[in-house]
Amino acid sequence: MEIAIDIGNTNVVIGFFDSGQWIHLMRFNTKKDGEAKLFYDLKIREQLLDLDFNIVQLEGIYLSSVVPELTDDLSKLITNIFEKDVVVINAQSFKKLKLSIDKPSEIGNDLVANAVSAVTRYKTGCVIVDFGTALTFTVVTGEYEILGVMIAPGLKTAMSALHSKTAQLPEALIELPVTVIGKNTIHAIQSGVLWGYVGLVKELLARISMEYDQKLTPIATGGLSSILSPLEDIFSEVDKNLTLDGIRIIGKSTI
């Protein structure tokens, strides 16, 4: 069994991988306050008690983080809980990876994990669209060369910004309306943001294809990747565990 941990801006996800599949996922809100360490300690131990499988022959624990203030604390906490050292991955951990970008130190570990996972699976160039706190597009060749990234506000981020930055716009559920023309305020927000993002994704994928004149396999991931159903036919695969797979692959390559 292997464990992969993805510390993101919105969620901390812990995946248990055995016999070629993810058999259990733990998902918690990302906390950065003084109570964070105690919160995760209690929540993880609580869920472990409810698992219907035994954690035996633990081969490795791999951790990726885009929240620096949590990395060390959670790494030590996980080591203590499972009595095994944690491998913390970064862009330099995967030796085959090449970063053809201006500032390699700035790329998120989650985007690196997405790229490694996609190319390992498809053996060809890919563009990975990650529907998370941010909406990201990562372009990688079949030789594990990341050519660049595009970043836009994520769906939930955009919806929350409308609510928090305006006096009269309410908070709306992230649901794609059937019709585009909004008949009330909630409908109008949902239509503008969600149908707008359908167009955003299509336009960026088209421009990426024009700029990089070679076939790229489009893959979607992230917690909100299934919301925009009109985009389903555009992607070769929608896999919410793509990042965890990449963390596991990178971590395993280091030991």
Side-chain angles (χ1 to χ4, degrees):
M1 180 179 290
E2 296 167 286
I3 297 174
I5 303 155
D6 180 19
I7 303 176
N9 288 299
T10 302
N11 295 114
V12 172
V13 181
I14 302 174
F16 297 80
F17 188 86
D18 194 35
S19 302
Q21 62 182 333
W22 296 100
I23 60 173
H24 184 75
L25 298 179
M26 296 180 181
R27 184 180 297 272
F28 311 107
N29 292 334
T30 301
K31 291 177 66 68
K32 305 174 189 177
D33 56 32
E35 301 297 320
K37 193 171 182 179
L38 177 60
F39 168 81
Y40 291 119
D41 194 5
L42 291 173
K43 290 294 184 181
I44 293 170
R45 292 182 189 276
E46 183 180 82
Q47 287 206 24
L48 285 173
L49 291 174
D50 294 332
L51 295 183
D52 58 355
F53 59 85
N54 293 319
I55 300 174
V56 295
Q57 297 181 336
L58 190 55
E59 296 177 39
I61 305 176
Y62 321 114
L63 183 148
S64 164
S65 175
V66 296
V67 186
E69 58 265 45
L70 282 180
T71 306
D72 191 49
D73 280 348
L74 269 183
S75 177
K76 291 177 179 176
L77 174 63
I78 295 295
T79 296
N80 184 47
I81 290 174
F82 294 100
E83 299 180 348
K84 188 173 182 65
D85 289 340
V86 174
V87 175
V88 179
I89 70 160
N90 55 42
Q92 289 72 48
S93 300
F94 195 72
K95 302 308 179 185
K96 295 179 183 179
L97 186 69
K98 181 180 179 182
L99 298 173
S100 295
I101 55 179
D102 294 338
K103 298 181 179 180
S105 63
E106 293 182 351
I107 192 168
N109 295 329
D110 53 343
L111 304 188
V112 171
N114 285 342
V116 170
S117 180
V119 176
T120 299
R121 185 178 304 180
Y122 283 92
K123 313 297 183 187
T124 188
C126 298
V127 53
I128 304 100
V129 184
D130 192 333
F131 293 82
T133 307
L135 175 67
T136 62
F137 298 71
T138 304
V139 181
V140 58
T141 72
E143 291 74 41
Y144 294 99
E145 179 183 3
I146 293 181
L147 301 178
V149 177
M150 290 119 280
I151 303 174
L155 289 169
K156 188 177 289 186
T157 304
M159 299 281 264
S160 297
L162 276 178
H163 172 59
S164 63
K165 299 297 182 181
T166 58
Q168 293 185 304
L169 291 181
E171 191 167 8
L173 294 176
I174 303 179
E175 295 178 353
L176 186 73
V178 176
T179 59
V180 174
I181 301 173
K183 299 299 183 181
N184 55 63
T185 304
I186 294 292
H187 185 179
I189 293 170
Q190 291 173 327
S191 179
V193 174
L194 296 175
W195 280 110
Y197 269 62
V198 170
L200 185 157
V201 172
K202 287 181 177 180
E203 178 67 14
L204 276 179
L205 287 176
R207 287 186 174 273
I208 290 167
S209 180
M210 290 170 57
E211 192 167 313
Y212 183 70
D213 192 24
Q214 293 185 37
K215 181 176 174 57
L216 292 168
T217 299
I219 303 168
T221 189
L224 298 174
S225 55
S226 60
I227 297 295
L228 302 181
S229 54
L231 295 173
E232 287 178 356
D233 292 342
I234 289 179
F235 296 108
S236 298
E237 183 178 9
V238 177
D239 182 1
K240 292 184 179 181
N241 295 327
L242 189 75
T243 310
L244 288 177
D245 274 331
I247 295 169
R248 185 185 66 82
I249 292 166
I250 295 171
K252 196 167 186 175
S253 74
T254 66
I255 58 176

